[in-house]
Amino acid sequence: MDYHYHEFCKLLLLVSGKGNYVVEGQRYRLQSGDAVLIGSGCVHRPEFEVGVPYERVILYISPEFLQRQSTPGCDLRECFSGQHGYVLRADEAQQKV
């Protein structure tokens, strides 16, 4: 898939398999359980091997929804800003919960 971007935010959870995801020029090596948080307007693309199975769940979230659900002490749009990276990886104990 070519590089692209969206007007919405994307939350991708890699359920099984492995591959890479490139966000804003940074390549992330993904493993099962990783979450990728891509903000609106962020240039990105997945890199998975053809013929190698993987399972993922993708949620598309409007920035307006995130703004409405935010509180004065917690702006949910910041989760998708890349300020703290674009990939979250839970440790092994957290993945078993």
Side-chain angles (χ1 to χ4, degrees):
M1 181 178 288
D2 288 333
Y3 286 101
H4 62 283
Y5 66 92
H6 309 283
E7 296 298 319
F8 48 81
C9 298
K10 180 192 287 190
L11 171 61
L12 178 143
L13 176 64
L14 186 61
V15 177
S16 64
K18 58 183 178 179
N20 296 321
Y21 221 90
V22 181
V23 185
E24 293 294 310
Q26 177 71 37
R27 178 172 279 107
Y28 297 92
R29 185 123 186 88
L30 301 182
Q31 60 187 38
S32 297
D34 285 351
V36 184
L37 298 122
I38 303 165
S40 64
C42 287
V43 176
H44 63 279
R45 78 176 205 163
E47 296 178 336
F48 291 97
E49 282 189 50
V50 176
V52 177
Y54 66 94
E55 183 179 5
R56 64 187 178 175
V57 175
I58 298 176
L59 297 175
Y60 298 118
I61 307 166
S62 75
E64 296 80 19
F65 176 80
L66 292 173
Q67 183 176 9
R68 285 193 310 269
Q69 300 306 310
S70 294
T71 64
C74 181
D75 184 349
L76 295 174
R77 294 170 297 178
E78 286 184 22
C79 297
F80 295 87
S81 70
Q83 209 171 25
H84 305 287
Y86 293 100
V87 175
L88 296 176
R89 178 169 292 151
D91 65 30
E92 202 170 307
Q94 291 171 321
Q95 288 182 13
K96 292 181 182 178
V97 172

